[in-house]
Amino acid sequence: MLPYAYLSKGVMAMFSGFDLCLDVLKKVNLHGKDLAGGFSRLAFREEDRRAREELMALMRALGFSLEVDRVGNIIGTVGNIGDGLPPVALGSHIDTVPQGGPYDGVLGVAMAIGAAKEIRENNPNHRYPLQVMVFSGEESSRFGIANVGSKAITGYLTLKDCFSYKDDDGVILFKAMRDFGLSPEWMGRSRLLPSSLKAFFEVHIEQGPFLHRSGIDVGVVEAIAAPTRMAVDIEGRADHSGACPMNMRKDALAAASEIVLAVESVGIDEYLHGTVATVGVCRIEPGAMNVVPGKAHLKIDLRGIKKESLERAYERIRSAIEGICFSRGVKLNFNLLSKGDPVVLDGGLRRLLGEVCDDLGLRWTDMPSGAGHDAMYVASSIPTAMIFVPCVEGISHNPSEEVELERIRPGYRALVGALERIMER
Ligand SMILES: [Zn+2]
């Protein structure tokens, strides 16, 4: 293996992929600017199409050979594909939430292009091809389903899903994809095999405040939390707010309020295990000032990367809800919407990233990801690693999403370093 010091001292200065990365960011973000602030490049919409065309033109000009698979993932390859060695892949997504920021996803794609180009230019003899993957439909904002592209190639998306999810205008996912020139009915043909790639890397902004506030520049993601989701419908009794005495009420909102606090307290108790619990939806009926609320609907999101902690939290939340509803004499309808297992990322790649960071003198740490990413699906087929870089105050999915260039550069260097080492093997 070539010592890394040699690569960094000698040839790496020849081509700066980081500057290219900034250029890619700028070009993609020419599209989908929202007049109300931020970027709205929702999956399979016109803005998404224009950004993808711009990106593909740029990648083509940089010498990538391009392919778009049946579900819209863009795959750009540089290097010696004929040698029979599986490519080393890296990437993320460029679609956004409504009024999202300029870095969520796009930064990972931009860094992937910069790194692939830099490595190829500086070390043309590397045996492995490099493959930049731009996943389609990562955000759930339009269709209510996330990670369409990465789920499809790893077998987590079904044709039934494509027909059951639709956007606010009633357009079903399948039709939106067909109108985009794709053929989701053939998605099986784009399936990623365990032998298809040597490894996959995704760089992403943290979307939380930990790195920014702690002064650590690189987060090596240990595991990605998959949410457990619950829907809770409480039926009390709507009554006149003036005429119904306090001791005769069945106030659904009062029960829901106790549940909200119970969920919070379970989250706080499990804090040290990295588990978080949130009531993100609370709707009441009829919702009038002079009516005791008769119905309340809650949605609860529970996440973490430690299975025992998640199990404990789930059981405690469930029994707290049952206890509260029983003691208040209100009817409960509890629905477990989804229960996801945390995805542990590849141990070998995590160690490799740690070594690279140490050798480069970077400030780094292992950390969990509370948010879902394409990497969690890719990880089911391919050894996968994820690098988090700081975003200012952790603000994301927001027009004020911001990064400091000098604080994301270390993550880029860690990516390039890790790729170079893995390609020497
Ligand atoms: Zn993202």
Side-chain angles (χ1 to χ4, degrees), residues 93 104-105 138-139 204 373:
H93 64 98
D104 173 1
E138 195 272 346
E139 302 286 1
H204 205 282
H373 295 287

Side-chain angles (χ1 to χ4, degrees), residues 92-93 95 103-106 138-139 202 204 207 372-373 397:
S92 193
H93 64 98
D95 63 315
Y103 300 101
D104 173 1
V106 197
E138 195 272 346
E139 302 286 1
E202 180 171 5
H204 205 282
Q207 301 181 287
H373 295 287
H397 283 190

